[in-house]
Amino acid sequence: MRIAVVSESFLPTLNGVTTSVCRVLEHLRDNGHDAIVICPSAGAPKEFAGFPVHEVPAFAYRQFPVGLPNPQVQRLIDDFSPDVVHAASPFLLGAQAITAAGRLDIASVAIFQTDVAGYARRNGLGAATALAWRLVRWVHDGADLTLAPSTASMTDLAAAGIKRVERWGRGVDLESYHPRNRMTSATRRLRERIAPTGQVIVGYVGRIAPEKQLERLAALRGVPGIRIAIVGGGPSIAHVQRQLKGMPVTYLGTLTGADLAAAYASFDIFVHPGTEETFGQTIQEAHASGVPVVAPRAGGPIDLVRVRQNGFLFEPDDNRSLRTFVEQLVRDEPLRMRMGEAGRRGVIDRSWDAICGELVEHYENTIAKRTHSALDTTGAVRKMSRPRES
């Protein structure tokens, strides 16, 4: 199968969209498929997983490259002649790719991953929220299939009138993120750095940006016996540092690979404060590492956190409940251990290989439906044009 992957984000930008695209490309390579990548210009590698990467013009918004519609997109798709176009978190670039696919009679699959409308709502933009949903509907209505990562996302898309939606979750690297990492020398050194006298480490991994709502961690001010570790970078670092001033916080910066795995393993509790996650990949990575999670009862975390089994869900408008659940876990080490074990068991069947296999099935079904529809249309045209018998 030939797949044109058009992504609003790619290396060197690190986020959930980039991670999932990279894992998909590796799966396609390992299973004998062919692909190209089209992404915004931001210094991407010339190829990834053996597939060529094509950059198109972009502009920077809050340190994030935004791809611009460009005639090159349709030329690249036309020249490659894919069986399906995969539009990852489609916005301007993805919308053009979906339109081009329709024009060329190529199947298209759109991956809903970024809550654009949620951003408008959070910023109190009023009418812009409705406008954002109209934009989302316009983009996704052009695709043959939209894949949503959570039941909350599917509900939002249905409410917005978007049809042809199915669920597709995200995989997790079960080998890199593993409870055994807690015993490595790298993890022990990191724990000694963050919590030199054995305090409970409350950790966060992700972009430091307004939508992540890291200022909520101020609710933990004064909780005895904890240290906070924040992994990631982004435009809100200075704001978060001001909001958490005077608290025992260690900023570890952006980490990848073994360093990131060690960071997860060094945590005793993982807190995800943001309420606008369509999925929550870092929650899965924390669970794979054997760490209990505290997250809001909103969006993707609702599917991932089993209350009192592998973590807690706090009420989005009540930071006191966030503090209460963290305090409960800080006091109860056996509970942390039980929840961590349950978290690991809960993601065992979510390897990237399994999840990407599901995606390829979605590709195949979408291609088959488009082909069948085209045959039906051709048959109807022939029937209408058949000369009347005398």
Side-chain angles (χ1 to χ4, degrees), residues 152 274-279 295-303 313-314 316:
T275 60
E276 295 171 8
E277 293 298 318
T278 57
F279 185 68
R297 192 184 300 276
I302 294 174
D303 292 332
L313 293 173
F314 66 87

mmCIF file of all heavy atoms in Angstrom, residues 152 274-279 295-303 313-314 316:
data_model
loop_
_atom_site.group_PDB
_atom_site.id
_atom_site.type_symbol
_atom_site.label_atom_id
_atom_site.label_comp_id
_atom_site.label_asym_id
_atom_site.label_seq_id
_atom_site.Cartn_x
_atom_site.Cartn_y
_atom_site.Cartn_z
ATOM 1 N N ALA A 152 -14.660 10.972 24.388
ATOM 2 C CA ALA A 152 -14.995 12.387 24.536
ATOM 3 C C ALA A 152 -14.856 13.110 23.210
ATOM 4 O O ALA A 152 -15.705 13.942 22.841
ATOM 5 C CB ALA A 152 -14.097 13.033 25.590
ATOM 6 N N GLY A 274 -3.971 19.534 32.493
ATOM 7 C CA GLY A 274 -4.727 20.165 31.412
ATOM 8 C C GLY A 274 -6.044 19.468 31.113
ATOM 9 O O GLY A 274 -6.143 18.238 31.167
ATOM 10 N N THR A 275 -7.060 20.248 30.768
ATOM 11 C CA THR A 275 -8.410 19.711 30.525
ATOM 12 C C THR A 275 -8.749 19.610 29.041
ATOM 13 O O THR A 275 -9.892 19.315 28.700
ATOM 14 C CB THR A 275 -9.465 20.596 31.211
ATOM 15 O OG1 THR A 275 -9.379 21.927 30.684
ATOM 16 C CG2 THR A 275 -9.262 20.632 32.710
ATOM 17 N N GLU A 276 -7.783 19.849 28.151
ATOM 18 C CA GLU A 276 -8.095 19.908 26.723
ATOM 19 C C GLU A 276 -7.395 18.830 25.920
ATOM 20 O O GLU A 276 -7.177 18.983 24.720
ATOM 21 C CB GLU A 276 -7.742 21.291 26.179
ATOM 22 C CG GLU A 276 -8.595 22.388 26.796
ATOM 23 C CD GLU A 276 -8.112 23.774 26.430
ATOM 24 O OE1 GLU A 276 -7.207 23.886 25.585
ATOM 25 O OE2 GLU A 276 -8.626 24.739 27.012
ATOM 26 N N GLU A 277 -7.068 17.725 26.552
ATOM 27 C CA GLU A 277 -6.399 16.642 25.849
ATOM 28 C C GLU A 277 -7.422 15.783 25.115
ATOM 29 O O GLU A 277 -8.365 15.270 25.717
ATOM 30 C CB GLU A 277 -5.616 15.765 26.829
ATOM 31 C CG GLU A 277 -4.444 16.457 27.471
ATOM 32 C CD GLU A 277 -3.396 16.894 26.457
ATOM 33 O OE1 GLU A 277 -3.095 16.122 25.521
ATOM 34 O OE2 GLU A 277 -2.888 18.017 26.603
ATOM 35 N N THR A 278 -7.219 15.614 23.819
ATOM 36 C CA THR A 278 -8.087 14.707 23.077
ATOM 37 C C THR A 278 -7.754 13.252 23.378
ATOM 38 O O THR A 278 -8.576 12.365 23.182
ATOM 39 C CB THR A 278 -7.963 14.950 21.566
ATOM 40 O OG1 THR A 278 -6.579 14.804 21.174
ATOM 41 C CG2 THR A 278 -8.451 16.342 21.193
ATOM 42 N N PHE A 279 -6.534 13.009 23.867
ATOM 43 C CA PHE A 279 -6.158 11.647 24.244
ATOM 44 C C PHE A 279 -5.412 11.638 25.575
ATOM 45 O O PHE A 279 -5.984 11.378 26.613
ATOM 46 C CB PHE A 279 -5.317 10.985 23.150
ATOM 47 C CG PHE A 279 -5.011 9.547 23.430
ATOM 48 C CD1 PHE A 279 -6.022 8.602 23.415
ATOM 49 C CD2 PHE A 279 -3.727 9.132 23.733
ATOM 50 C CE1 PHE A 279 -5.764 7.263 23.702
ATOM 51 C CE2 PHE A 279 -3.446 7.801 24.018
ATOM 52 C CZ PHE A 279 -4.464 6.870 23.998
ATOM 53 N N ALA A 295 -5.450 13.051 36.944
ATOM 54 C CA ALA A 295 -5.770 13.836 35.754
ATOM 55 C C ALA A 295 -7.198 14.340 35.849
ATOM 56 O O ALA A 295 -7.982 13.863 36.677
ATOM 57 C CB ALA A 295 -5.589 12.974 34.495
ATOM 58 N N PRO A 296 -7.583 15.310 35.007
ATOM 59 C CA PRO A 296 -8.941 15.856 35.085
ATOM 60 C C PRO A 296 -9.983 14.925 34.482
ATOM 61 O O PRO A 296 -9.688 14.153 33.567
ATOM 62 C CB PRO A 296 -8.830 17.158 34.277
ATOM 63 C CG PRO A 296 -7.724 16.909 33.318
ATOM 64 C CD PRO A 296 -6.747 16.041 34.030
ATOM 65 N N ARG A 297 -11.183 15.032 34.993
ATOM 66 C CA ARG A 297 -12.304 14.291 34.431
ATOM 67 C C ARG A 297 -12.805 15.049 33.198
ATOM 68 O O ARG A 297 -13.890 15.642 33.181
ATOM 69 C CB ARG A 297 -13.422 14.152 35.468
ATOM 70 C CG ARG A 297 -14.525 13.152 35.090
ATOM 71 C CD ARG A 297 -15.633 13.151 36.131
ATOM 72 N NE ARG A 297 -15.136 12.777 37.432
ATOM 73 C CZ ARG A 297 -14.984 11.519 37.854
ATOM 74 N NH1 ARG A 297 -15.300 10.521 37.056
ATOM 75 N NH2 ARG A 297 -14.530 11.271 39.074
ATOM 76 N N ALA A 298 -12.003 15.012 32.150
ATOM 77 C CA ALA A 298 -12.313 15.740 30.913
ATOM 78 C C ALA A 298 -11.482 15.163 29.778
ATOM 79 O O ALA A 298 -10.316 14.794 29.968
ATOM 80 C CB ALA A 298 -12.004 17.228 31.079
ATOM 81 N N GLY A 299 -12.071 15.071 28.592
ATOM 82 C CA GLY A 299 -11.334 14.665 27.408
ATOM 83 C C GLY A 299 -10.795 13.250 27.484
ATOM 84 O O GLY A 299 -11.378 12.343 28.085
ATOM 85 N N GLY A 300 -9.631 13.062 26.869
ATOM 86 C CA GLY A 300 -9.029 11.745 26.756
ATOM 87 C C GLY A 300 -8.773 11.015 28.056
ATOM 88 O O GLY A 300 -8.930 9.784 28.116
ATOM 89 N N PRO A 301 -8.353 11.700 29.138
ATOM 90 C CA PRO A 301 -8.079 10.979 30.385
ATOM 91 C C PRO A 301 -9.237 10.152 30.912
ATOM 92 O O PRO A 301 -9.017 9.172 31.632
ATOM 93 C CB PRO A 301 -7.726 12.122 31.356
ATOM 94 C CG PRO A 301 -7.123 13.177 30.488
ATOM 95 C CD PRO A 301 -7.933 13.115 29.220
ATOM 96 N N ILE A 302 -10.466 10.502 30.563
ATOM 97 C CA ILE A 302 -11.616 9.740 31.053
ATOM 98 C C ILE A 302 -11.529 8.283 30.607
ATOM 99 O O ILE A 302 -11.917 7.369 31.338
ATOM 100 C CB ILE A 302 -12.933 10.384 30.560
ATOM 101 C CG1 ILE A 302 -13.111 11.766 31.186
ATOM 102 C CG2 ILE A 302 -14.129 9.498 30.888
ATOM 103 C CD1 ILE A 302 -14.301 12.536 30.637
ATOM 104 N N ASP A 303 -10.993 8.039 29.406
ATOM 105 C CA ASP A 303 -10.853 6.667 28.903
ATOM 106 C C ASP A 303 -9.648 5.949 29.492
ATOM 107 O O ASP A 303 -9.606 4.715 29.495
ATOM 108 C CB ASP A 303 -10.711 6.674 27.376
ATOM 109 C CG ASP A 303 -11.976 7.111 26.663
ATOM 110 O OD1 ASP A 303 -13.069 6.901 27.225
ATOM 111 O OD2 ASP A 303 -11.879 7.659 25.558
ATOM 112 N N LEU A 313 -9.384 10.847 38.962
ATOM 113 C CA LEU A 313 -9.817 11.937 38.095
ATOM 114 C C LEU A 313 -10.360 13.057 38.976
ATOM 115 O O LEU A 313 -11.333 12.851 39.713
ATOM 116 C CB LEU A 313 -10.901 11.466 37.120
ATOM 117 C CG LEU A 313 -10.467 10.451 36.050
ATOM 118 C CD1 LEU A 313 -11.688 9.955 35.268
ATOM 119 C CD2 LEU A 313 -9.457 11.076 35.089
ATOM 120 N N PHE A 314 -9.735 14.234 38.898
ATOM 121 C CA PHE A 314 -10.241 15.366 39.674
ATOM 122 C C PHE A 314 -11.205 16.190 38.832
ATOM 123 O O PHE A 314 -11.175 16.135 37.600
ATOM 124 C CB PHE A 314 -9.088 16.234 40.200
ATOM 125 C CG PHE A 314 -8.289 16.959 39.144
ATOM 126 C CD1 PHE A 314 -8.673 18.214 38.680
ATOM 127 C CD2 PHE A 314 -7.121 16.397 38.639
ATOM 128 C CE1 PHE A 314 -7.937 18.884 37.718
ATOM 129 C CE2 PHE A 314 -6.370 17.067 37.674
ATOM 130 C CZ PHE A 314 -6.777 18.308 37.214
ATOM 131 N N PRO A 316 -12.575 19.211 36.866
ATOM 132 C CA PRO A 316 -11.820 20.237 36.146
ATOM 133 C C PRO A 316 -11.872 21.627 36.761
ATOM 134 O O PRO A 316 -10.927 22.409 36.619
ATOM 135 C CB PRO A 316 -12.471 20.228 34.754
ATOM 136 C CG PRO A 316 -13.068 18.877 34.612
ATOM 137 C CD PRO A 316 -13.524 18.493 35.993
#
